[in-house]
Amino acid sequence: MKRRIVFSVLAVAALALIGAGCGSNGPKVQKKITVGQDPSDVVAAYNAVWVVNDDAVGRVDPKTNALALKKFIIAGQGAGSIAAGENALWVAANLSNEVDVIDPSRNRIVKRIGGIAGSEITFGDGAVWLTQAGAGTIQRIDPVKRRIAGRPVKVGQQPAGLTAANGSVWVSNQADSTVTRVDAKANKVVATIKVGANPTDVAVGEGGVWVTNANDDTVSRIDPATNKVVATIKVKGQAPSDVATGFGAVWVSETNSNSVGRIDPKDNKQTDEIDTKAYAPADVAVGFGSVWAPLAHSNQLARIKP
């Protein structure tokens, strides 16, 4: 009997190692890069990986795996989300009611768009988009004129994550467990889709629209052709909070289990669980041949081999 118990434990341990992406061929953390304190968001663009850390933005060189600037770019108070597009980086600074515009060629803020508070920001379909959780709206910003454009669009309750692609803006609404689809040209809601509990983020790619549902540990897959959920994927980790697509997969940050999950979009199943070792991934992004995850409550950025 004792031998059987020992064998079972070893077998479980072996399976755990495989599932965690510890095999030589599976996804794994290749490098942890020292950045600023408590990194919260990341984007890969303009020959660098840009990380928001406690009201400052750091630039990481993907060739050297090190910070490329001697000083951080100081953003507004409450800076926590970053996006890239139209030859600029866009940082939402919620507490100072502004969006900061960074010129990546000069590594400095060139404009502060005031009078607009928002927590999550994205770029797509020729515009910058910002969630306004308290009002239940999203706001469009003209990236050329660098100013607010049009009226806010009413979405669901407590909008959290958003992404813009292929003529639509997709918004996950935490408080009512829905995703709102907005026509990016008309600034008009065209669909409201019920998903899992507490949807925190949304991404488009790999043949679908993907939504992390933090309270039931699932990812919803929406078919953009029908605006319907076609799969609900149970993840191995806990509290999936952010999602990105790339390298033939869907990547999910799992906050409460200190891990990043990999989902195969061909069969809607999780194939790998990547251990980020003691710290929770606050975000996930793809670029430069890697998956990037800032680790909350640390000073590290994890670079993951896909």
Side-chain angles (χ1 to χ4, degrees), residues 75-156:
Q77 292 185 345
S81 182
I82 188 169
E86 199 67 41
N87 298 314
L89 297 158
W90 308 82
V91 181
N94 192 38
L95 296 181
S96 54
N97 297 333
E98 67 186 42
V99 170
D100 298 329
V101 187
I102 297 174
D103 183 337
S105 65
R106 292 187 281 173
N107 299 310
R108 67 182 184 88
I109 293 174
V110 292
K111 185 166 185 178
R112 298 182 189 268
I113 305 170
I116 180 169
S119 54
E120 294 297 321
I121 198 165
T122 195
F123 180 91
D125 282 288
V128 178
W129 307 88
L130 186 71
T131 61
Q132 300 171 306
T137 58
I138 63 170
Q139 177 64 58
R140 180 184 188 128
I141 296 173
D142 186 325
V144 177
K145 297 180 180 179
R146 296 177 176 175
R147 67 186 186 190
I148 297 169
R151 294 182 178 181
V153 180
K154 189 71 175 177
V155 289

Side-chain angles (χ1 to χ4, degrees), residues 264-280:
D264 187 339
K266 293 179 182 178
D267 57 11
N268 296 321
K269 292 182 180 179
Q270 184 173 347
T271 59
D272 297 273
E273 184 82 357
I274 304 133
D275 189 358
T276 53
K277 303 291 184 185
Y279 293 108

Side-chain angles (χ1 to χ4, degrees), residues 16 42 52 64 73 88 105 111 140 177 221 236 275-276:
V42 62
V52 179
T64 63
I73 303 167
S105 65
K111 185 166 185 178
R140 180 184 188 128
S177 298
R221 178 176 185 165
K236 299 175 183 178
D275 189 358
T276 53

